[in-house]
Structure formats: structure tokens, C-alpha cells
């Protein structure tokens, strides 16, 4: 939190955000780090602006303890948004409001999420989870409803791209619709494969993942390595 938030000059100006988009998560301070999370980094600039609201003069080298409140507040908002997205996803999957509510409630208070919510840098997990749940929600609606056009497919790709720019773990999401396909019976599987909307969904998710890997490679020189967390 000290390095990424309190002493991070990249979140203090528009120029700094441009630098954040072209550097790794630790800005070279950890040579083995190949983490690339520019969207999460950009969210910290909102918190920083809130801490400096009404103030003038040069920014301090390190933010004080009281300045942490906007950072923690935004973490709570992202956690709440992720829970709402999970509720909607489970409701769409199982059509059971009770199950959806119980799942989201357990997710909201489970101790395993303590570090992600309490630690400012844990926002990467919160943002990635929120965008991931939304991407899967849209993808499932494409699979089940077979809507005309490519709007939902494109939206799923955009949400996946945002999830990846928040944290790398979302790279597994393009495989999820393929798992849904495998779990269906032979007849349903053939029908789904014939659907243009499903094929467009796979292409949209694949393109989003490839676009992220291309940007990541251009900035860090490696599309796969995640040596430090």
C-alpha cells in the first residue's frame, strides 16, 4: 500500500497515468515483477484526487494516514459491486433468488476476502472479480438466449478486457463457455456450435484476451510471466 498508493507519483497526474499504462505494477522497483494492471492503477488516481480536494501546493512525498479513507471506501464499493454482479450471475444460472442471495452473502463476508478488501492493493482482485462476473453473465445470456446481432458478444469481450487490465487471472475466462459447451448433451452441443451468436462470443472473448496479451507484451516484453504478486 505504501509503494502503490501512499508514495506512488503515477496516480497524481494525467501524465502519471500515461506512465502507469506503459510500466509494470511496481514501476521497476521489483525487477522480477511482470504484473500489468493499468486500470486498477488508474482507479487510485480518483482516490488521490479526493484526498487533495481543496488543497493547493505541491503534493507530499507520501500521503498521510488520514488520506487512506477514499482508497478504502472505493475498495468497499468495488467489493459491493462484485457481490451484486455475482448475485445476478447465480440468479441467471440457476433461476433461484434464494440461492443467488445466499451465494452473494457468503461471498460478501467470507474471511478469505479480508486481504483483498482491507488492503488497498487488493483492489486488483475486486475489480477483476466484478468485471469477470459481469462478463460471464453476458456470456451466459448469449449462450441461453441466442440474441441476434453482436452487441452482447462485444460487451462480453470489453468486460473481459477490463477484467484483464485489473488483474491477470481473468485470462481463464475465454475457456468458460467451452466448458459450458462440453457439459451439454451431444444434441445441445451440436446446436450450440451451429449458432452464430455462440461462435461470435468465443471470437469476442478470444480477441479481448489476445488484445490484452499484445498490450502486455508491448509494455513488459512477455505475455505470460507473472513472477511476483
Amino acid at each position: 500500500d505504501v509503494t502503490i498508493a501512499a508514495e506512488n507519483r503515477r496516480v497524481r497526474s494525467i501524465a502519471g497515468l500515461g506512465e502507469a499504462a506503459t510500466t509494470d505494477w511496481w514501476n521497476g522497483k521489483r525487477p522480477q515483477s511482470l504484473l500489468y494492471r493499468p486500470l486498477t492503477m488508474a482507479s487510485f488516481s480518483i482516490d488521490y484526487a479526493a484526498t487533495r480536494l481543496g488543497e493547493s501546493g505541491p503534493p507530499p512525498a507520501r500521503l498521510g494516514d488520514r488520506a487512506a479513507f477514499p482508497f478504502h471506501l472505493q475498495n468497499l464499493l468495488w467489493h459491493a459491486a462484485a457481490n451484486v454482479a455475482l448475485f445476478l450471475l447465480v440468479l441467471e444460472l440457476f433461476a433461484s433468488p434464494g440461492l443467488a442471495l445466499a451465494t452473494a452473502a457468503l461471498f460478501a463476508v467470507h474471511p478469505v476476502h479480508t486481504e483483498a478488501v482491507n488492503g488497498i492493493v487488493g483492489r486488483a482482485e475486486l475489480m477483476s472479480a466484478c468485471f469477470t462476473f459481469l462478463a460471464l453473465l453476458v456470456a451466459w445470456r448469449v449462450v441461453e438466449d441466442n440474441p441476434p446481432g453482436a452487441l452482447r458478444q462485444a460487451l462480453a469481450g470489453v468486460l473481459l478486457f477490463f477484467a484483464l487490465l485489473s488483474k491477470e487471472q481473468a485470462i481463464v475466462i475465454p475457456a468458460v463457455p467451452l466448458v459450458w459447451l462440453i457439459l451439454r448433451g451431444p444434441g445441445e452441443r451440436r446446436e450450440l456450435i451451429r449458432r452464430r451468436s455462440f461462435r461470435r462470443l468465443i471470437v469476442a472473448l478470444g480477441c479481448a484476451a489476445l488484445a490484452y496479451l499484445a498490450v502486455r507484451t508491448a509494455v513488459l516484453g512477455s505475455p505470460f510471466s507473472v513472477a511476483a504478486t
Side-chain angles (χ1 to χ4, degrees), residues 79-199:
H79 185 51
N83 278 276
V84 172
L86 178 61
F87 171 84
L88 295 175
L89 175 60
V90 176
L91 182 62
E92 190 76 20
L93 288 171
F94 300 101
S96 171
L99 178 61
L101 182 60
T103 302
L106 178 61
F107 186 86
V109 300
H110 200 289
V112 76
H113 299 144
T114 300
E115 183 179 358
V117 179
N118 288 348
I120 292 170
V121 295
R123 189 177 305 168
E125 282 86 357
L126 306 177
M127 293 178 63
S128 184
C130 183
F131 288 125
T132 292
F133 292 150
L134 291 175
L136 291 175
L137 174 63
V138 174
W140 180 257
R141 288 178 175 174
V142 171
V143 170
E144 289 299 297
D145 298 339
N146 190 23
L151 182 59
R152 286 187 180 179
Q153 294 91 324
L155 178 58
V158 170
L159 290 168
L160 171 60
F161 189 65
F162 287 166
L164 287 166
L165 292 179
S166 301
K167 192 172 182 180
E168 304 83 355
Q169 62 200 24
I171 196 67
V172 301
I173 299 307
V176 175
L178 298 178
V179 174
W180 292 339
L181 179 67
I182 293 171
L183 293 177
R184 291 172 178 257
E188 291 182 330
R189 194 179 304 145
R190 286 192 296 269
E191 178 186 354
L192 192 56
I193 292 174
R194 285 196 294 265
R195 288 184 186 176
R196 180 178 296 180
S197 60
F198 181 76
R199 296 197 300 269

Side-chain angles (χ1 to χ4, degrees), residues 43 46-47 50-51 66-81 117-120 123 126:
S43 74
I46 299 174
D47 306 320
T51 66
R66 292 185 178 181
F69 176 75
F71 291 86
H72 288 298
L73 177 60
Q74 190 175 168
N75 270 27
L76 289 173
L77 293 176
W78 278 110
H79 185 51
V117 179
N118 288 348
I120 292 170
R123 189 177 305 168
L126 306 177

